[in-house]
Amino acid sequence: MDALGKRPIKELDDLKLYYSPYRNDREPKLVVHTKLNRWYDLVTDKNGNLRDLAKLTAKINKRKDIDCYILESMNTYESIKGLLDMSRRPREQIIIKLDIDNLRLVDFMKAIGQKEPVAADGCLRIYKAPYDKNREPTMVINTETNQWRDTKSGAYGGIYDLAYELTGSCSMSDLNRYIAGQMEGFREEKTADTHDTLKQEPMSQEPEKPKRGIHL
């Protein structure tokens, strides 16, 4: 499930609840029993082992050799994990003067190129998902809770969860650096815009003093 890009939504003892990797559900409906290493679909009542799940997730041209498909998927996953392990190695400490925990998600969306949402409804703002190659408008931000959710994939969370979806990194130092870097560019752009606006505004002039009249 990790190799397929799916994270557990809930966990209870040996059970993990996921969104189905082979169907677009609005609710997590796939249960994995980690001790038995088996899965169960709450919608269709289907269940099985690793190969059974692989048959449902593999593309048609990969289904002829399921073992090969599983190995390819896991090799790709292990390669990505290796890159993440390298990113966790100690680096020169960088001081980040940014209160990331209280950073507004709508400001972060502006920083990564989406100046305005696609639509708005009350406290909800709908954006094109920046982590989706198709950029579909499935990402919804609640401005009151400062949380987001993807109506298609079911992914959700705060700014660190969004940064994870964008970078694939689980390293807090990498995520902090990425968020701070995006916001730094955004602040510089805002400062430049403000400076240009001030340059364009005409300087105020003192009104002419009224001429002293002649009293008869």
Side-chain angles (χ1 to χ4, degrees):
M1 294 297 287
D2 285 344
L4 293 173
K6 297 294 180 180
R7 292 181 292 171
I9 304 303
K10 294 182 180 178
E11 298 184 39
L12 179 62
D13 297 330
D14 298 325
L15 301 178
K16 292 188 177 185
L17 186 64
Y18 293 86
Y19 282 95
S20 171
Y22 50 84
R23 187 177 58 237
N24 290 327
D25 292 330
R26 294 186 177 180
E27 300 293 336
K29 295 295 184 179
L30 190 83
V31 180
V32 172
H33 195 300
T34 57
K35 194 170 183 179
L36 298 177
N37 202 30
R38 294 183 66 84
W39 58 275
Y40 177 76
D41 191 323
L42 296 173
V43 176
T44 63
D45 287 333
K46 289 183 179 180
N47 64 88
N49 56 22
L50 173 61
R51 286 188 176 85
D52 297 319
L53 182 60
K55 291 175 183 177
L56 293 173
T57 60
K59 294 181 179 179
I60 296 177
N61 60 330
K62 298 287 185 179
R63 293 175 185 172
K64 294 180 180 179
D65 192 342
I66 288 298
D67 287 348
C68 181
Y69 163 70
I70 294 173
L71 286 174
E72 287 180 356
S73 300
M74 293 308 299
N75 284 336
T76 301
Y77 174 62
E78 291 299 330
S79 297
I80 294 174
K81 280 182 63 179
L83 292 174
L84 290 177
D85 290 338
M86 289 177 62
S87 70
R88 297 189 185 102
R89 293 176 183 175
R91 298 180 182 179
E92 182 181 353
Q93 186 176 4
I94 298 176
I95 299 175
I96 297 174
K97 297 179 180 180
L98 180 66
D99 187 4
I100 294 178
D101 289 327
N102 293 317
L103 184 64
R104 295 174 69 240
L105 280 172
V106 290
D107 286 340
F108 183 69
M109 292 301 291
K110 291 177 182 178
I112 61 176
Q114 297 200 43
K115 303 296 184 183
E116 298 294 337
V118 174
D121 183 9
C123 63
L124 303 180
R125 302 290 183 271
I126 302 172
Y127 291 87
K128 295 179 181 179
Y131 40 78
D132 180 13
K133 63 180 181 180
N134 296 322
R135 294 298 180 95
E136 295 180 320
T138 57
M139 180 183 167
V140 182
I141 291 177
N142 187 320
T143 57
E144 291 185 352
T145 62
N146 203 33
Q147 297 281 305
W148 66 276
R149 180 179 178 85
D150 192 295
T151 58
K152 182 179 179 181
S153 68
Y156 67 97
I159 190 166
Y160 283 107
D161 300 285
L162 178 56
Y164 166 79
E165 294 290 340
L166 289 166
T167 64
S169 176
C170 297
S171 168
M172 284 301 293
S173 61
D174 284 347
L175 295 178
N176 281 328
R177 190 177 293 106
Y178 171 74
I179 294 170
Q182 297 297 322
M183 293 308 299
E184 184 65 27
F186 175 60
R187 287 201 301 269
E188 290 176 355
E189 182 180 339
K190 283 186 66 177
T191 302
D193 290 342
T194 303
H195 181 66
D196 291 341
T197 301
L198 290 174
K199 286 199 304 183
Q200 292 173 6
E201 291 180 354
M203 294 182 64
S204 59
Q205 297 179 354
E206 294 185 4
E208 291 185 4
K209 295 181 180 179
K211 295 181 180 179
R212 185 171 297 174
I214 300 176
H215 296 277
L216 297 177

